[in-house]
Amino acid sequence: MDDLETAGSWLARSRATVVLTGAGISTESGIPDFRGPQGVWTKDPGAERMATLQAYLADPELRRRSWLNRLSSPAWTAEPNPAHRALVDLDPVALVTQNVDGLHQRAGSDPARVFELHGTMHRTICWECHDRRPMAEAVTRVRAGADDPPCLRCGGVLKSDTILFGQDLDPEVLRRATEAAQGADVFVALGTSLAVYPAAGLVPIAKRGGARLVIANAQPTPYDDVADVVFRDPLGQIVPALVASYRECRPSR
Ligand code: ZN
């Protein structure tokens, strides 16, 4: 058996498949990653500062630039690609993602099983009163001339409901993702460099729980040597192929 068949047969027998996805799954949808060769932060180190909580809260000029950048973000019009769509058929017990683009839900994955570790760009949150609203509202206000729109309820600093550097993850989302990793039969890491914690920490947790580990990423990851199978192919090809292999191996019902 080749690696695809082997991984497909594990997935077919698995009672609890957990998938972790990173920026690499969305690059084929036209959303640039951060740390890759063409990454946002690789090409413009200043952009990384914009993703730091302390700087964002302290610097109105930086916030104005963030809102302007947001208006032109390719992520608003991005469509799910074949990798996102294939995962709908795999139907994992948990689809944990480091992405904030909402493309798994757009593709049709069950929102109740998608765990957005780093939040979502489709909502805003007020840093003072934690009021959450659709991002579209704030974008409309920016287009109408508010260059740093404050919270409509309390006047506090408004930010995208995503996790910036220096900001803790939502403990409930992290707890549920960790629990899923602990109980996984097969853990599949897709398009993530596995360099950012606590997301990457789900891999050793799943391994300790006895999961088979499948990694697909263009570049090497720190966990390749403990993986059972590693793929380097573009995700838009390998994920549909993996799910097709899973379907073939599944006992007919
Ligand atoms: Zn507020």
Side-chain angles (χ1 to χ4, degrees), residues 10 13-18 183-187 210-213:
W10 292 337
R13 287 198 304 268
S14 169
R15 282 165 306 166
T17 297
V18 174
D185 291 332
V186 182
F187 190 97
R212 300 272 194 186
L213 174 60

Side-chain angles (χ1 to χ4, degrees), residues 39-183:
V40 175
W41 294 335
T42 313
K43 293 200 285 194
D44 176 14
E48 185 163 1
R49 199 176 156 263
M50 227 180 296
T52 304
L53 180 65
Q54 293 316 320
Y56 186 88
L57 294 178
D59 185 351
E61 179 51 39
L62 189 148
R63 289 201 295 276
R64 285 192 276 274
R65 265 199 296 141
S66 297
W67 286 110
L68 270 182
N69 280 358
R70 221 162 264 142
L71 291 188
S72 59
S73 168
W76 301 115
T77 51
E79 293 291 335
N81 65 56
H84 294 105
R85 287 196 288 269
L87 290 177
V88 179
D89 293 331
L90 184 62
D91 198 23
V93 294
L95 177 40
V96 184
T97 185
Q98 297 172 269
N99 300 337
V100 298
D101 54 38
L103 290 181
H104 289 304
Q105 295 94 320
R106 282 277 300 281
S109 282
D110 178 0
R113 295 195 200 176
V114 176
F115 298 102
E116 295 175 306
L117 281 182
H118 295 167
T120 175
M121 57 179 281
H122 294 288
R123 261 195 328 253
T124 55
I125 182 168
C126 168
W127 189 249
E128 307 299 328
C129 75
H130 302 132
D131 184 43
R132 287 184 158 99
R133 290 171 191 250
M135 174 59 82
E137 278 185 20
V139 166
T140 303
R141 292 168 66 199
V142 175
R143 289 221 162 90
D147 56 0
D148 178 21
C151 172
L152 289 172
R153 206 165 83 176
C154 78
V157 171
L158 211 58
K159 68 185 280 296
S160 167
D161 196 7
T162 53
I163 306 292
L164 299 180
F165 286 111
Q167 185 180 354
D168 290 330
L169 273 62
D170 182 325
E172 180 60 14
V173 175
L174 181 60
R175 187 188 65 77
R176 295 184 65 189
T178 305
E179 222 169 71
Q182 279 163 345

